[in-house]
Amino acid sequence: MPWFVWLLAAAVLGVAEFFTLTLVLGLLAGAALVAAVVAGVGVGLLGQLVALGVAAAAGLVVVRPVALRHRERQPLVREGSDALIGKRAEVVQEVTATRGLIKLSGEEWSARALDESLVIPVGALVDVMEIEGATAVVHPRALLP
């Protein structure tokens, strides 16, 4: 089979991968490129099909699982309000289950206690457990008196 037919197949598979994002068709497109190179060197149809099969199998067995793991991994850098989760803050106005005020990263944030039975006094250090809209949900770093 001529090399340009394999190249055309690779292009069609690459475009199909662009629309499906399955990571399968793209790997098959890569295998078709390998077959195009083998055909360009002058190897017969059987050798081209073997090259296609080996490249496709290697891609699907080795590359695809690694790519899927990397795609599912959470980003290392958190942005926006997500970056505030886990930070330490200081209570500026008493924090209860419904209201309060903390100083977090140099800004004042409305806050509420994670444990609804707690009343966190002014000056206490707290950890930000989550952000709900413009309210930080906090928990004291040390036991309260």
Side-chain angles (χ1 to χ4, degrees), residues 58-126:
L60 293 174
V61 171
V62 176
V63 175
R64 187 167 189 264
V66 172
L68 288 175
R69 270 195 307 272
H70 283 285
R71 189 168 76 174
E72 293 172 1
R73 187 178 294 168
Q74 293 290 329
L76 296 175
V77 177
R78 294 189 291 185
E79 298 176 339
S81 61
D82 285 341
L84 299 174
I85 296 173
K87 296 265 186 180
R88 184 185 329 194
E90 183 179 351
V91 176
V92 175
Q93 182 183 42
E94 185 177 77
V95 177
T96 65
T98 57
R99 68 163 114 192
L101 199 61
I102 61 171
K103 186 148 191 127
L104 174 62
S105 294
E107 299 177 340
E108 288 189 351
W109 279 71
S110 60
R112 71 173 183 80
L114 179 65
D115 184 350
E116 295 178 1
S117 65
L118 288 178
V119 175
I120 307 170
V122 174
L125 294 178
V126 293

Side-chain angles (χ1 to χ4, degrees), residues 45-67:
L45 181 62
L46 182 60
Q48 295 170 28
L49 292 175
V50 167
L52 176 75
V54 168
L60 293 174
V61 171
V62 176
V63 175
R64 187 167 189 264
V66 172

